[in-house]
Short mmCIF file of all heavy atoms in Angstrom, two decimals:
data_model
loop_
_atom_site.label_atom_id
_atom_site.label_comp_id
_atom_site.label_asym_id
_atom_site.label_seq_id
_atom_site.Cartn_x
_atom_site.Cartn_y
_atom_site.Cartn_z
N GLN A 55 119.31 20.34 -51.62
CA GLN A 55 119.16 18.95 -52.07
C GLN A 55 118.44 18.90 -53.45
O GLN A 55 117.66 18.05 -53.67
CB GLN A 55 118.35 18.16 -51.07
CG GLN A 55 118.50 16.54 -51.20
CD GLN A 55 117.64 15.79 -50.35
OE1 GLN A 55 116.88 14.93 -50.86
NE2 GLN A 55 117.77 15.87 -49.06
N SER A 319 113.83 23.95 -47.25
CA SER A 319 112.59 23.02 -46.97
C SER A 319 112.78 21.83 -48.03
O SER A 319 112.27 20.70 -47.72
CB SER A 319 111.35 23.76 -47.15
OG SER A 319 111.12 24.49 -46.02
N THR A 320 113.35 22.12 -49.21
CA THR A 320 113.50 20.98 -50.16
C THR A 320 114.36 19.82 -49.50
O THR A 320 114.07 18.75 -49.91
CB THR A 320 114.11 21.54 -51.39
OG1 THR A 320 115.32 22.42 -50.90
CG2 THR A 320 113.21 22.37 -52.20
N ASP A 321 115.38 20.23 -48.76
CA ASP A 321 116.16 19.21 -48.09
C ASP A 321 115.41 18.42 -47.04
O ASP A 321 115.41 17.24 -47.04
CB ASP A 321 117.31 19.82 -47.48
CG ASP A 321 118.30 18.72 -46.94
OD1 ASP A 321 118.87 18.04 -47.79
OD2 ASP A 321 118.45 18.77 -45.63
N TYR A 322 114.59 19.13 -46.12
CA TYR A 322 113.75 18.43 -45.16
C TYR A 322 112.81 17.63 -45.87
O TYR A 322 112.55 16.36 -45.31
CB TYR A 322 113.08 19.54 -44.36
CG TYR A 322 113.92 20.29 -43.36
CD1 TYR A 322 114.17 21.66 -43.67
CD2 TYR A 322 114.54 19.74 -42.39
CE1 TYR A 322 114.99 22.35 -42.77
CE2 TYR A 322 115.45 20.48 -41.48
CZ TYR A 322 115.64 21.82 -41.72
OH TYR A 322 116.41 22.60 -40.88
N VAL A 323 112.18 17.84 -46.90
CA VAL A 323 111.16 17.14 -47.48
C VAL A 323 111.82 15.95 -48.23
O VAL A 323 111.33 14.79 -48.14
CB VAL A 323 110.34 17.98 -48.62
CG1 VAL A 323 109.31 17.20 -49.31
CG2 VAL A 323 109.56 19.14 -47.92
N GLY A 324 112.91 16.14 -48.94
CA GLY A 324 113.62 15.05 -49.50
C GLY A 324 114.00 13.98 -48.52
O GLY A 324 113.91 12.75 -48.77
N HIS A 325 114.55 14.45 -47.34
CA HIS A 325 114.99 13.47 -46.37
C HIS A 325 113.71 12.63 -45.85
O HIS A 325 113.86 11.45 -45.46
CB HIS A 325 115.67 14.23 -45.21
CG HIS A 325 117.12 14.47 -45.34
ND1 HIS A 325 118.13 13.46 -45.51
CD2 HIS A 325 117.76 15.58 -45.58
CE1 HIS A 325 119.21 13.99 -45.64
NE2 HIS A 325 119.00 15.23 -45.68
N LYS A 326 112.72 13.30 -45.58
CA LYS A 326 111.40 12.70 -45.00
C LYS A 326 110.73 11.75 -46.05
O LYS A 326 110.31 10.64 -45.64
CB LYS A 326 110.50 13.75 -44.59
CG LYS A 326 109.17 13.34 -44.02
CD LYS A 326 109.25 12.58 -42.77
CE LYS A 326 109.53 13.55 -41.56
NZ LYS A 326 109.57 12.80 -40.26
N PHE A 327 110.50 12.27 -47.27
CA PHE A 327 109.72 11.64 -48.16
C PHE A 327 110.49 10.87 -49.34
O PHE A 327 109.83 10.10 -50.08
CB PHE A 327 108.58 12.52 -48.72
CG PHE A 327 107.72 12.99 -47.61
CD1 PHE A 327 107.92 14.24 -47.11
CD2 PHE A 327 106.69 12.20 -47.03
CE1 PHE A 327 107.05 14.77 -46.13
CE2 PHE A 327 105.86 12.66 -46.15
CZ PHE A 327 106.13 14.03 -45.61
N GLY A 328 111.69 11.35 -49.66
CA GLY A 328 112.31 10.78 -50.76
C GLY A 328 112.14 11.53 -52.01
O GLY A 328 111.24 12.29 -52.30
N VAL A 329 113.10 11.28 -53.06
CA VAL A 329 113.18 12.01 -54.16
C VAL A 329 112.15 11.70 -55.22
O VAL A 329 111.99 12.42 -56.23
CB VAL A 329 114.60 12.01 -54.91
CG1 VAL A 329 115.66 12.50 -53.94
CG2 VAL A 329 114.91 10.62 -55.40
N ILE A 334 107.68 15.69 -52.82
CA ILE A 334 108.84 16.50 -53.62
C ILE A 334 108.30 17.16 -54.91
O ILE A 334 108.65 18.26 -55.08
CB ILE A 334 109.97 15.49 -54.01
CG1 ILE A 334 110.95 15.32 -52.80
CG2 ILE A 334 110.77 15.94 -55.19
CD1 ILE A 334 111.74 16.58 -52.56
N GLY A 499 112.83 7.65 -47.07
CA GLY A 499 113.49 8.89 -47.31
C GLY A 499 114.82 8.83 -48.08
O GLY A 499 115.40 7.87 -48.10
N SER A 500 115.20 9.99 -48.46
CA SER A 500 116.51 10.10 -49.19
C SER A 500 117.54 10.79 -48.37
O SER A 500 117.25 11.50 -47.33
CB SER A 500 116.33 10.79 -50.55
OG SER A 500 115.45 10.14 -51.50
N THR A 501 118.79 10.57 -48.79
CA THR A 501 119.90 11.28 -48.13
C THR A 501 121.11 11.59 -49.27
O THR A 501 120.74 11.52 -50.52
CB THR A 501 120.55 10.44 -46.93
OG1 THR A 501 121.37 11.34 -46.13
CG2 THR A 501 121.25 9.25 -47.49
#
Side-chain angles (χ1 to χ4, degrees):
Q55 203 187 123
S319 289
T320 42
D321 185 67
Y322 290 113
V323 175
H325 278 294
K326 175 69 73 176
F327 298 101
V329 305
I334 272 290
S500 296
T501 193

